Amino acid sequence: IAMVKQIKKILSIKDPKNRGIYEMNAKKYITKISSASEKITLKLSPYKNVPFITFHDAYGYFNKSYGLHQVAAVSVNPEAALSAEKISDINAVIKTRHVYCVFADPAFTEASVKKILNNPDRVKLGTLDSLGATIDKGEGAYLAIMESISNNLLTCFGDGNN
């Protein structure tokens, strides 16, 4: 929402004669975002205390917005190889924090995640895609990415009905 407001502000400064259009479009999009966010909040609220791990730390704002309990990220830099110490740390977190789900991403698949887990049957695996690699670009892409992330969380947490 903050980005929509900033874009509207800049466009209105650069093109003042169309300020009304930018105001109207921003208001409509903020309403869509708010509505989608409310639905996501309702769907995810039962899972606020479920500990999970993601492949990387791209989900901080999402987790904070919806009160989710991400306890670790496998990698901060997907370009860097995982060290034996990091793999050991992740497995320790899974055990001590009673992690329920571990999420891969399109670049680091569920099969790859399984290879670094001591007991892959101890957790459920899922995939989160913060970039929306499988989502059509253009109008609605942001909302589709948010919906996809929430649905994939729900599937792993056990409510595949979404």
Side-chain angles (χ1 to χ4, degrees):
I1 292 176
M3 288 177 64
V4 173
K5 289 178 179 178
Q6 186 65 22
I7 292 167
K8 174 199 67 164
K9 178 182 173 183
I10 291 170
L11 288 173
S12 295
I13 291 168
K14 298 276 186 188
D15 183 17
K17 71 179 181 181
N18 288 311
R19 180 181 178 155
I21 294 170
Y22 303 134
E23 292 278 345
M24 181 180 65
N25 288 343
K27 186 175 180 177
K28 283 181 187 177
Y29 198 60
I30 288 170
T31 300
K32 284 182 181 181
I33 292 170
S34 297
S35 175
S37 186
E38 287 174 22
K39 289 175 186 172
I40 291 169
T41 298
L42 288 173
K43 291 194 296 188
L44 292 177
S45 64
Y47 304 99
K48 285 186 175 195
N49 295 318
V50 176
F52 66 95
I53 293 174
T54 62
F55 176 71
H56 56 77
D57 61 354
Y59 302 95
Y61 289 116
F62 188 94
N63 295 331
K64 184 176 181 183
S65 293
Y66 300 108
L68 299 175
H69 190 54
Q70 179 179 339
V71 295
V74 172
S75 175
V76 175
N77 179 1
E79 303 294 321
L82 293 174
S83 68
E85 180 180 14
K86 181 64 174 179
I87 292 170
S88 177
D89 290 347
I90 290 298
N91 282 287
V93 167
I94 290 169
K95 186 175 181 179
T96 60
R97 305 289 296 272
H98 308 288
V99 169
Y100 190 77
C101 293
V102 176
F103 291 97
D105 73 10
F108 196 80
T109 65
E110 290 178 29
S112 299
V113 170
K114 260 187 176 177
K115 289 178 185 176
I116 68 166
L117 300 178
N118 291 342
N119 298 304
D121 297 332
R122 181 183 200 139
V123 296
K124 291 179 74 177
L125 297 177
T127 299
L128 297 178
D129 181 8
S130 63
L131 299 177
T134 61
I135 301 211
D136 291 335
K137 307 305 179 238
E139 186 177 341
Y142 174 74
L143 296 176
I145 291 169
M146 298 296 286
E147 186 71 21
S148 172
I149 291 169
S150 66
N151 287 342
N152 289 335
L153 285 163
L154 288 168
T155 298
C156 194
F157 293 159
D159 185 4
N161 298 324
N162 306 356

